[in-house]
Amino acid sequence: MNSHVSPGGYTGTSPHWLREPADVNDLVSILWPSTARKDDDGVLHIGGLAIPDLVANVNTPAYVLDEADFRERAGAFRDAFAGYDVYYAGKAFLSVAVAQWVAEEGLSLDVCSNGELSVALRAGVDPRRIGYHGNNKTPMELRRAVDAGVGRIIVDSFHEIDRVADVATQLGVVQGVMIRVTAGVEAHTHEFIATAHEDQKFGFSIASGDAFDAASRVLAQKSLELRGLHSHIGSQIFDTSGWEVAGRRVLALHARIADELGRVLPELDLGGGFGIAYTTQDDPADPAVLAAQITKIVTGECAALGIDVPHLSIEPGRAIVGPAMCTIYTVGTVKQVALDGGAIRTYVSVDGGMSDNLRPALYDADYSCTLASRASSAEPVLARVVGKHCESGDIVVKDEFLPGDVAPGDLLAVPATGAYGRSMASNYNHALRPPVVAVKDGRARVIVRRETEEDLLATDVG
Ligand code: LLP
């Protein structure tokens, strides 16, 4: 933490990475969707719409999704990873409209639950372009997926191999499967979202030999077609060194399967996990740079092993929808709290919180925010934006500079909430989950409506 004195004489305590902005009204462009801008009155516009006008109709809190930005990011991955299949990871955020955009942009879709599969099918996504994940899919869920014609099921346990084989036999089909492997890589990310180290629930360990055994078990099943190996090393990752180590281990297994089991697997999936900027601390790589590095890693390793490069796929979620969406809140109360050492922190309470963005509470995640409804010439103050839930960990933005005159009725916008925001939202404290409003070319369309009290009470049968 830094102690600092602002040009205006304000003394505060902020994390080392947080710099007082030259103009607190400015947008830090890397955090925002491509159409976001502020007008001369400091009013935030996204998709050609003024945010205060938008929320006058839909109320706050609300998620605003920039359709053009979503499509640009999807297209950037598609083009940068030309020759790969790009599966959009629907767990980051999925709705019928978004599944349709994904298909229209030429991407495939990764689902990891029966519910996500329902959304994809309702959206009319070609089932052959759907991959189905999960470490504990029930026989009923598997039957539905196989019956729907899902292109690939990513199997995660020996029990599941037997289950998919049984279901496929019963339905008289041959089901494409991938084997989820763990490569023993510690990705540099939060423990809960790192997935390729050994001591966790996902996948078959390469090191223990389970992954090889899984391959021979799948190959022995007439009702299964082994498409390839699948490795996902974690989430919110910025450098490709994790993929390098994982890629080497996974390709070594791929080569061993060809050698010892006589089957050259046609595909290989390297998972998702590409990081985005939540604050000025983060410096994500361009998809083109990622593509070049990852392709080099895989082609180099295949050449060293003397094998053909399999057909590759990736599964980005966060990097496509994360920056495309932001959350708009209304300020309800403001108070100053004295910190040890005499600094002051301004607590700004908004009308949402951990029910619409669990990530700060769950992962200690940092976010940023800006005043969306006006400009201010007041000196910046170090603020903490908090929600309205009954616990002190209910933080929306831990540290941010906001104008010192921030007041009830102001609108605040928090960027980069698209991934795992609405999708991990809850009804904690019987909160009503906010709508998702898609904006494009000056028009707004509610693609997920706000929950109502009737929705909330509908499941409470007394
Ligand atoms: N593929 C697989 C197999 C995955 O498990 C995941 C994420 C992805 C792709 C997409 O990862 P992405 O590109 O979105 O990072 N709730 C956490 C993230 C959990 C990620 C779970 N798996 C968060 O809010 O950070």
Side-chain angles (χ1 to χ4, degrees):
M1 303 286 270
N2 290 336
S3 257
H4 69 272
V5 178
S6 80
Y10 165 75
T11 306
T13 303
S14 64
H16 65 91
W17 54 266
L18 186 65
R19 298 273 173 273
E20 186 176 321
D23 182 347
V24 74
N25 298 295
D26 284 350
L27 290 182
V28 178
S29 63
I30 191 178
L31 308 176
W32 293 90
S34 55
T35 69
R37 64 175 185 85
K38 280 195 176 177
D39 66 20
D40 294 343
D41 297 325
V43 170
L44 177 66
H45 293 239
I46 302 178
L49 278 169
I51 291 299
D53 296 344
L54 178 74
V55 299
N57 290 321
V58 299
N59 211 342
T60 56
Y63 303 101
V64 176
L65 172 56
D66 183 337
E67 179 178 344
D69 186 85
F70 181 97
R71 288 180 184 270
E72 277 162 31
R73 289 177 202 275
F77 270 95
R78 177 199 60 219
D79 295 346
F81 286 87
Y84 288 55
D85 284 328
V86 179
Y87 284 75
Y88 169 68
K91 69 202 77 180
F93 173 70
L94 196 63
S95 74
V96 168
V98 160
Q100 286 165 346
W101 301 348
V102 164
E104 284 162 14
E105 293 303 323
L107 271 57
S108 302
L109 184 64
D110 148 22
V111 300
C112 68
S113 70
N114 193 41
E116 288 180 8
L117 180 61
S118 303
V119 175
L121 295 177
R122 182 179 290 184
V125 174
D126 178 352
R128 289 169 301 182
R129 301 197 63 174
I130 297 177
Y132 193 149
H133 275 279
N135 67 302
N136 185 17
K137 311 173 193 81
T138 66
M140 189 206 75
E141 289 167 342
L142 289 170
R143 171 173 278 270
R144 183 184 184 204
V146 174
D147 200 28
V150 159
R152 60 192 208 178
I153 292 178
I154 296 85
V155 294
D156 201 290
S157 69
F158 290 113
H159 288 122
E160 193 188 355
I161 294 172
D162 297 342
R163 273 180 209 155
V164 189
D166 286 350
V167 167
T169 305
Q170 285 159 21
L171 293 174
V173 297
V174 175
Q175 177 62 49
V177 299
M178 308 276 287
I179 292 177
R180 172 82 181 257
V181 303
T182 42
V185 175
E186 300 273 351
H188 297 274
T189 188
H190 192 283
E191 187 192 347
F192 293 175
I193 50 180
T195 53
H197 55 292
E198 293 287 336
D199 186 9
Q200 45 90 13
K201 69 174 184 169
F202 290 110
F204 294 94
S205 157
I206 297 179
S208 73
D210 280 357
F212 181 82
D213 293 346
S216 60
R217 186 100 144 231
V218 171
L219 288 170
Q221 298 284 352
K222 286 197 183 54
S223 62
L224 302 181
E225 186 197 354
L226 182 52
R227 305 291 313 162
L229 303 176
H230 184 295
S231 156
H232 171 77
I233 58 172
S235 214
Q236 185 61 356
I237 300 168
F238 289 100
D239 73 85
T240 49
S241 57
W243 279 283
E244 181 154 15
V245 180
R248 199 175 306 135
R249 293 178 186 169
V250 175
L251 282 164
L253 174 63
H254 176 98
R256 183 177 167 212
I257 291 168
D259 268 1
E260 297 181 26
L261 300 177
R263 168 96 168 123
V264 178
L265 302 179
E267 296 179 31
L268 173 67
D269 193 301
L270 298 165
F274 310 103
I276 64 165
Y278 288 97
T279 67
T280 52
Q281 298 169 89
D282 304 322
D283 185 19
D286 201 63
V289 173
L290 293 167
Q293 290 177 352
I294 289 177
T295 303
K296 188 167 169 230
I297 289 167
V298 174
T299 49
E301 201 50 36
C302 287
L305 289 163
I307 58 174
D308 290 341
V309 179
H311 183 73
L312 300 169
S313 49
I314 53 163
E315 294 174 341
R318 185 190 315 264
I320 293 177
V321 74
M325 210 187 300
C326 64
T327 312
I328 314 299
Y329 300 99
T330 302
V331 174
T333 65
V334 179
K335 64 181 162 194
Q336 273 76 38
V337 173
L339 307 178
D340 289 346
I344 303 284
R345 193 189 311 282
T346 299
Y347 273 83
V348 179
S349 294
V350 295
D351 52 354
M354 62 193 295
S355 56
D356 58 73
N357 189 358
L358 187 58
R359 299 191 72 260
L362 192 58
Y363 311 124
D364 202 23
D366 287 314
Y367 282 83
S368 56
C369 67
T370 194
L371 195 54
S373 44
R374 64 183 172 92
S376 169
S377 51
E379 278 302 324
V381 294
L382 185 66
R384 177 158 293 172
V385 180
V386 294
K388 58 180 295 173
H389 293 283
C390 289
E391 56 183 90
S392 51
D394 173 29
I395 291 170
V396 176
V397 180
K398 229 183 313 169
D399 299 287
E400 179 60 290
F401 284 99
L402 285 174
D405 62 353
V406 60
D410 280 336
L411 297 178
L412 286 188
V414 176
T417 55
Y420 308 102
R422 180 60 174 78
S423 71
M424 295 203 298
S426 77
N427 293 118
Y428 183 40
N429 295 152
H430 279 41
L432 303 174
R433 284 178 296 175
V436 179
V437 188
V439 292
K440 186 168 184 252
D441 299 333
R443 283 201 302 277
R445 175 161 72 112
V446 175
I447 59 169
V448 179
R449 68 159 170 78
R450 187 183 303 285
E451 284 179 334
T452 63
E453 227 169 86
E454 290 72 50
D455 293 329
L456 204 60
L457 292 173
T459 52
D460 186 336
V461 293

